[in-house]
Amino acid sequence: MHARSVLSVVALTTLIAGSSLAAGCKSEAEVSVAEESVAAAPVAIEEPLTEEHDGGSVGWDIAADGNVKAIVKTPDGKPIDKDVSGTLTWKAPGGDRQVPLVLDAKTGVLVAAGPKLEADLTEVKYNVVVAGKPWNGVLHVPAGGTRVIVEGAKKAEKRPLPPGKTGPNGGVIQVVGDDVVEVVADKASGQVRVYVLNADLKPIPVGDRKIKLGFVGSGSELIVLNPGPGGLYCVGTVTAKVNPTKLTVVVAHPTHADVVLVGYRPGMHVVIGPSAPALNVVVATTWNVGVVKVNTTPGVVVVHDDDDDDDDGHVHVHVHGKHKGKHKHRHKHWH
């Protein structure tokens, strides 16, 4: 190799080495600052369910095993990691269980170890205290944790409903998994019904679905619904006959359960407190349901709507006989 070539190689090698050192080497002070910044930065909660209070917000991540992470922020989105604490109360048939929320100084996140989530919906009340001011709320959490609500909202986004559209009885409509449901309650009696709707937003028989509701308004309650007459809807009773500010719906099938928080979209903040908007669920209704015709094979019940020719306000069930030429009619009256 010529001397000039050797010198060129040496010069090039030195240049590359020098550039690498300049890029990769930092002073002790720079290294210290970088490490301190990583340690001080709060660990982000992946896709939290965030509730907005007067004074800030709380993002929740409650896992199926009961482990909890909560990040508290100011109205402008800055994490609050000082003078903050709280408690969580799991409501269960065997009795309430209260667990403390403790601030993890390294991450700036509140953590707790609660009991495993086993029911379709578990009511979890929280009391977060920020600089002496309490932020209170109620979560209805599925067995899979808060992430199930976020996933349900993502699925619902793919099937948007017409803005402001109400159900056949004037109630709230919502996509729940592969279903669309209407939730409506009678203002006078407090009876609450859930109808399953088809693509044209017309009621269809409920079938083997089992439905539960989590109401949060002036109070909170968990409502287990029972099949209505003829399988037209599921029915229960709401104690506080006022429109809820939060409504969680579970539609359970034999193989799985879908859960949504009505009106919630991924990334949005759920407003808590006096400024929270109410959902139009409790209405003055005449229960004018028209159920889409089901299979008319012999022996199968065919349900027609309330608004029939005789205008008597009752549901009529026609039982079709199995013998040719015979057509038996049996009228049941449900109020």
Side-chain angles (χ1 to χ4, degrees):
M1 184 179 290
H2 296 292
R4 180 178 297 178
S5 300
V6 172
L7 289 174
S8 298
V9 171
V10 171
L12 181 60
T13 304
T14 304
L15 177 62
I16 293 172
S19 300
S20 300
L21 288 171
C25 294
K26 297 180 180 179
S27 67
E28 291 184 5
E30 287 176 318
V31 172
S32 176
V33 169
E35 290 178 351
E36 184 179 350
S37 298
V38 170
V43 174
I45 297 176
E46 186 177 353
E47 298 184 310
L49 179 63
T50 302
E51 300 208 328
E52 184 175 326
H53 295 259
D54 180 19
S57 65
V58 188
W60 295 99
D61 179 12
I62 302 180
D65 61 4
N67 285 318
V68 180
K69 294 179 182 177
I71 185 164
V72 183
K73 294 184 178 181
T74 62
D76 58 1
K78 294 180 180 179
I80 300 174
D81 57 2
K82 294 180 180 178
D83 199 9
V84 57
S85 61
T87 56
L88 290 169
T89 304
W90 263 252
K91 190 171 184 179
D96 295 353
R97 179 174 170 182
Q98 193 173 85
V99 296
L101 276 166
V102 180
L103 184 68
D104 183 341
K106 291 183 179 180
T107 62
V109 172
L110 290 168
V111 295
K116 182 179 179 181
L117 297 167
E118 296 181 326
D120 287 338
L121 282 182
T122 298
E123 183 174 289
V124 180
K125 294 184 178 181
Y126 66 85
N127 170 249
V128 175
V129 181
V130 182
K133 183 177 180 180
W135 298 357
N136 298 319
V138 180
L139 303 167
H140 284 110
V141 188
T146 52
R147 68 173 182 81
V148 174
I149 292 177
V150 176
E151 290 171 357
K154 288 180 180 179
K155 194 167 185 178
E157 274 192 319
K158 296 177 182 178
R159 299 171 60 196
L161 295 169
K165 179 73 174 177
T166 58
N169 296 287
V172 166
I173 55 175
Q174 172 69 45
V175 173
V176 185
D178 294 326
D179 297 313
V180 178
V181 300
E182 177 191 21
V183 183
V184 61
D186 180 60
K187 189 173 183 179
S189 66
Q191 182 183 114
V192 59
R193 297 183 183 182
V194 176
Y195 293 87
V196 179
L197 310 180
N198 66 7
D200 297 320
L201 302 183
K202 301 294 184 182
I204 59 175
V206 173
D208 58 8
R209 300 171 181 86
K210 298 183 184 300
I211 301 177
K212 295 181 182 179
L213 301 174
F215 267 70
V216 178
S218 55
S220 62
E221 53 187 307
L222 187 60
I223 305 169
V224 179
L225 304 179
N226 297 309
L232 307 186
Y233 49 81
C234 289
V235 61
T237 303
V238 59
T239 302
K241 293 180 285 186
V242 296
N243 280 319
T245 55
K246 289 201 305 179
L247 177 63
T248 308
V249 181
V250 177
V251 178
H253 298 265
T255 57
H256 68 284
D258 296 304
V259 186
V260 296
L261 181 59
V262 174
Y264 173 73
R265 298 182 305 278
M268 75 177 289
H269 286 195
V270 181
V271 179
I272 302 300
S275 60
L279 296 165
N280 188 40
V281 172
V282 181
V283 299
T285 180
T286 56
W287 304 119
N288 186 28
V289 61
V291 176
V292 174
K293 190 176 182 181
V294 296
N295 190 356
T296 57
T297 55
V300 174
V301 174
V302 179
V303 182
H304 302 279
D305 65 342
D306 290 349
D307 190 17
D308 53 12
D309 293 337
D310 61 11
D311 198 28
D312 60 3
H314 304 304
V315 175
H316 289 232
V317 176
H318 296 240
V319 179
H320 293 260
K322 297 183 180 180
H323 302 289
K324 186 175 180 180
K326 294 183 180 180
H327 192 119
K328 293 185 284 186
H329 290 264
R330 178 161 53 88
H331 288 223
K332 288 187 178 181
H333 292 183
W334 295 305
H335 297 274

